[in-house]
Amino acid sequence: MTLDRRKARHLIFILGDQLSPAMSSLNGADPAQDVLLMCEVADETTYARHHKQKIAFIFSAMRHFADEMRREGFVVDYVKLNDRGNTGSFTGELERAVARHRPERVIVTEPGEWRVMEMMRGWEEAVACPVEIRPDIRFLASHADFAAWAEGRKQLTMEFFYREMRRKTGLLMEGDEPAGGKWNYDAQNRKPAADDLFMPRPKRFQPDAITTDVIALVEDRFADHFGSQEKFGWAVTREQAERARDAFLKDALAAFGDYQDAMLSRQPFLYHSLLSPYINIGLLDPLDLCRRVDAAWRAGDVPLNAAEGFIRQIIGWREYVRGVYWLKMPGYGDMNFLGATRDLPDFYWTAETEMNCVRHVVEETRDHAYAHHIQRLMVTGTFALLAGIDPRQVHEWYLEVYADAYEWVELPNVIGMSQFADGGILGTKPYAASGAYIDRMSDYCGSCRYDVRQKTGPDACPFNPLYWDFLDRNAKKLSRNQRLTQTYRNWARMDREKRKAYLDSARAVLKGLDDAPKTYGRTKGG
Ligand code: FAD
Ligand code: DLZ
Ligand code: SF4
């Protein structure tokens, strides 16, 4: 009997973002009796039309993980995308694998996405075999933990959740107190950066034979998906991801805090870690990473604001958005508190816009399947918010274009944090800002066709009139927000002519968006 037809005690199904030997599904696994199942399926590549690099990254990491587990002595039944008979779906592939291995039980770790959980709930019936779904122990807070924390709270404030995670893990704690006497050093993390020849570069890797094969496969099967693969440099093995992690800790972490919000045209990565794709698929363990950051601070290698800023993103924001996602699904993705309906402009795909900031971010997204947090939030995110783009289209864009995007983490960041479409579940006010913010934090404006200092008229930075138009347009829903009281007061005090000039300029920008043809995205290839 060939190995991939071997009878199994347990058939352990490992999804593409579960690539760790420490997954709960592998707990107690026995190489002598169990079979691991992994499959590349068309449905997962097209339910969102992912960036080409994202598909290549996941397939290559999956193939390498299968080899890693084979070296551990496991039989891995691996179905490739082009294998004959591949049904193209998780359920179809599980059915076929159950027929091949006739297991006593299927074991799987719960998925990151609601959509896949719904699918899993039907598996026991579909395959006529017991299916055990185990919790994902890569997270500090289980769904029940988060629900218990959220119970009875009027506002789900991330900061309070984060403090609990600090206490729970002991990270940056001195006894019962936060290190340095403060929980949060964000106020020190807002410096603009200067372009610097000696800025550290994140560790990138030459594609090996496996990656080269999947890049060709992706080019062939997903030619019309967004993105270029030319600059593919992602780690695809655990050992490479660990080297990328160590390089970040050594070279960039110390300045991470100071320049977390900065943006520079010639430095797409600045002091960011680029570790999210690895953490999200299981190549790096988030808690282990935070412990290393804590140790670097305790050893005096990095300042407290850097260590705290980084650890807060992971045990704070990352855990918190996952909690919100599972608490509010299903339905969270349909929220549209501000009633925004405009179609996503084509330049989110083509980068063909005279707004230098947006052009840069879209080009970097196309070339690297990456943009850092402030680019996502304050450039493409804020523009979509101010222009009143349909949040579902914004969500679909973010889910497709970034190598680290999975709905559990992407959706709350987009629907909640960036588009305020959840009406304030996740954030207390919308991230609306005029061009002045981008000018302060970046070097984009200096070489832009628009003038960031001009408030209205054809040469004015479009963010400027759109900012006031957004507030005016949404006054009914936002003017009672305490954090916007002063802003609305300023608007009310502005003289009538000035207000009219803002609204007229905004109308001209929005008309330009509406009149431009929409050929990409949802309309392209379905
Ligand atoms: P660093 O700046 O080096 O940060 C360190 C780590 O902190 C990241 O690797 C990530 O694991 C974590 N982190 C930081 N901020 C967040 C956050 N807000 N939510 C969750 N984790 C966070 N992150 C994703 O992993 N997947 C997404 O699909 C995603 N979509 C986003 C969409 C929008 C509109 C916004 C504003 C943010 C989104 N983020 C997403 C969060 C954040 O932008 C990315 O995690 C970060 O840019 C990844 O790059 P990095 O590894 O260099 O991060
Ligand atoms: C994102 C993705 C892609 C593109 N392809 C696959 C695949 O072919 N096989 C697989 O097991 N997983 C893939 N993934 C990751 C899944 O979409 C992810 O596991 C679910 O969305 C649950 O989070
Ligand atoms: Fe962006 Fe406005 Fe600055 Fe141009 S002027 S780069 S559009 S913020």
Side-chain angles (χ1 to χ4, degrees):
M1 189 185 307
T2 60
L3 281 180
D4 65 0
R5 294 206 150 264
R6 188 179 77 161
K7 169 121 181 64
R9 177 187 63 153
H10 296 155
L11 180 63
I12 302 175
F13 195 175
I14 296 176
L15 307 187
D17 56 353
Q18 301 182 341
L19 308 183
S20 162
M23 285 315 293
S24 58
S25 54
L26 287 164
N27 197 356
D30 178 358
Q33 304 186 68
D34 302 332
V35 168
L36 313 192
L37 170 68
M38 298 180 71
C39 44
E40 298 168 5
V41 290
D43 281 3
E44 292 306 303
T45 60
T46 49
Y47 81 92
R49 293 157 48 81
H50 304 290
H51 191 299
K52 288 180 191 147
Q53 274 193 43
K54 180 178 178 185
I55 303 177
F57 164 64
I58 291 170
F59 282 8
S60 179
M62 285 175 69
R63 291 182 186 193
H64 280 99
F65 182 71
D67 286 345
E68 180 185 342
M69 296 313 285
R70 285 183 185 119
R71 286 195 296 273
E72 295 293 312
F74 281 98
V75 172
V76 183
D77 185 349
Y78 191 102
V79 182
K80 289 187 175 165
L81 190 73
N82 284 341
D83 281 355
R84 260 189 44 208
N86 186 335
T87 56
S89 77
F90 281 150
T91 307
E93 284 317 286
L94 183 64
E95 281 173 357
R96 290 200 316 139
V98 166
R100 285 196 293 274
H101 303 292
R102 291 160 286 118
E104 290 163 20
R105 170 180 294 266
V106 170
I107 299 179
V108 64
T109 291
E110 63 178 340
E113 301 194 354
W114 177 270
R115 171 186 65 86
V116 182
M117 191 66 206
E118 290 290 277
M119 223 184 274
M120 273 187 192
R121 290 197 177 105
W123 280 356
E124 208 159 79
E125 203 181 321
V127 301
C129 168
V131 176
E132 182 184 335
I133 304 175
R134 296 182 177 173
D136 192 337
I137 53 174
R138 289 176 293 177
F139 293 91
L140 295 172
S142 68
H143 304 318
D145 291 342
F146 191 84
W149 174 80
E151 178 74 36
R153 284 175 196 264
K154 256 174 114 179
Q155 182 75 45
L156 302 181
T157 309
M158 195 291 291
E159 182 65 24
F160 298 129
F161 172 79
Y162 165 56
R163 291 178 191 179
E164 290 210 3
M165 294 302 108
R166 288 272 294 277
R167 289 194 187 95
K168 181 170 180 173
T169 55
L171 287 164
L172 302 183
M173 294 298 288
E174 288 168 337
D176 293 336
E177 298 301 316
K182 270 183 10 180
W183 290 101
N184 184 317
Y185 291 84
D186 206 21
Q188 292 175 26
N189 293 354
R190 291 175 185 153
K191 293 188 189 152
D195 199 353
D196 175 359
L197 267 182
F198 302 103
M199 202 170 278
R201 299 275 182 277
K203 193 126 197 70
R204 310 293 280 163
F205 301 87
Q206 277 297 324
D208 64 3
I210 290 181
T211 304
T212 307
D213 268 6
V214 295
I215 286 177
L217 168 74
V218 168
E219 222 41 77
D220 181 46
R221 285 282 297 262
F222 308 103
D224 60 347
H225 282 215
F226 176 71
S228 140
Q229 301 198 86
E230 265 169 47
K231 296 187 177 153
F232 188 104
W234 297 107
V236 290
T237 65
R238 191 170 320 287
E239 183 265 327
Q240 287 179 338
E242 286 169 359
R243 275 161 53 203
R245 173 199 67 198
D246 293 346
F248 167 71
L249 294 175
K250 184 165 117 348
D251 303 332
L253 174 61
F256 172 85
D258 286 353
Y259 303 117
Q260 209 173 322
D261 290 3
M263 297 174 278
L264 288 173
S265 318
R266 294 187 328 126
Q267 302 279 0
F269 309 130
L270 286 112
Y271 297 92
H272 291 275
S273 69
L274 275 79
L275 296 180
S276 54
Y278 314 141
I279 302 171
N280 292 351
I281 66 168
L283 293 184
L284 292 179
D285 176 60
L287 183 57
D288 171 75
L289 174 59
C290 290
R291 293 215 184 287
R292 287 169 193 270
V293 172
D294 178 280
W297 168 70
R298 287 181 199 275
D301 296 340
V302 302
L304 184 54
N305 71 314
E308 191 282 317
F310 190 82
I311 285 175
R312 175 162 24 92
Q313 306 311 318
I314 297 198
I315 66 166
W317 280 111
R318 186 170 181 275
E319 289 278 339
Y320 169 82
V321 297
R322 176 184 186 249
V324 170
Y325 175 79
W326 283 96
L327 194 67
K328 298 296 174 188
M329 285 297 280
Y332 194 68
D334 298 325
M335 295 186 90
N336 189 354
F337 175 69
L338 298 174
T341 54
R342 185 161 278 111
D343 280 337
L344 189 75
D346 249 17
F347 56 70
Y348 276 75
W349 304 104
T350 61
E352 284 165 18
T353 167
E354 291 183 305
M355 290 184 283
N356 202 27
C357 52
V358 177
R359 184 172 62 76
H360 263 289
V361 175
V362 175
E363 281 175 355
E364 286 167 20
T365 301
R366 177 197 64 204
D367 293 347
H368 302 293
Y370 178 85
H372 70 67
H373 186 69
I374 293 300
Q375 294 176 308
R376 296 185 205 196
L377 185 63
M378 301 306 293
V379 178
T380 41
T382 293
F383 187 82
L385 172 76
L386 299 184
I389 310 296
D390 170 6
R392 177 156 280 280
Q393 293 187 39
V394 182
H395 145 60
E396 285 168 358
W397 185 79
Y398 278 95
L399 186 59
E400 289 179 12
V401 303
Y402 291 114
D404 60 16
Y406 298 88
E407 201 182 76
W408 66 266
V409 51
E410 172 273 335
L411 196 63
N413 270 300
V414 173
I415 293 293
M417 189 186 302
S418 164
Q419 301 301 298
F420 205 68
D422 67 359
I425 294 172
L426 196 132
T428 46
K429 79 175 178 75
Y431 277 93
S434 68
Y437 175 85
I438 294 176
D439 193 30
R440 189 164 62 250
M441 296 312 300
S442 80
D443 64 357
Y444 293 144
C445 300
S447 45
C448 184
R449 164 253 182 275
Y450 296 108
D451 183 349
V452 74
R453 281 154 314 187
Q454 280 200 38
K455 308 292 182 204
T456 58
D459 294 328
C461 162
F463 284 74
N464 293 341
L466 284 182
Y467 171 72
W468 288 114
D469 186 64
F470 167 81
L471 290 165
D472 187 64
R473 193 171 358 118
N474 293 300
K476 263 200 190 132
K477 289 178 176 151
L478 298 177
S479 60
R480 279 193 300 275
N481 182 317
Q482 283 183 356
R483 295 194 61 199
L484 292 172
T485 312
Q486 189 54 46
T487 314
Y488 272 105
R489 236 177 247 149
N490 294 345
W491 179 235
R493 275 199 215 114
M494 219 180 267
D495 75 59
R496 189 187 286 252
E497 279 307 303
K498 206 165 162 191
R499 283 168 48 140
K500 182 173 178 314
Y502 271 123
L503 299 183
D504 287 348
S505 289
R507 215 131 293 147
V509 175
L510 295 175
K511 185 169 180 325
L513 295 182
D514 292 340
D515 290 349
K518 310 275 178 305
T519 55
Y520 272 73
R522 304 175 101 199
T523 48
K524 185 183 174 229

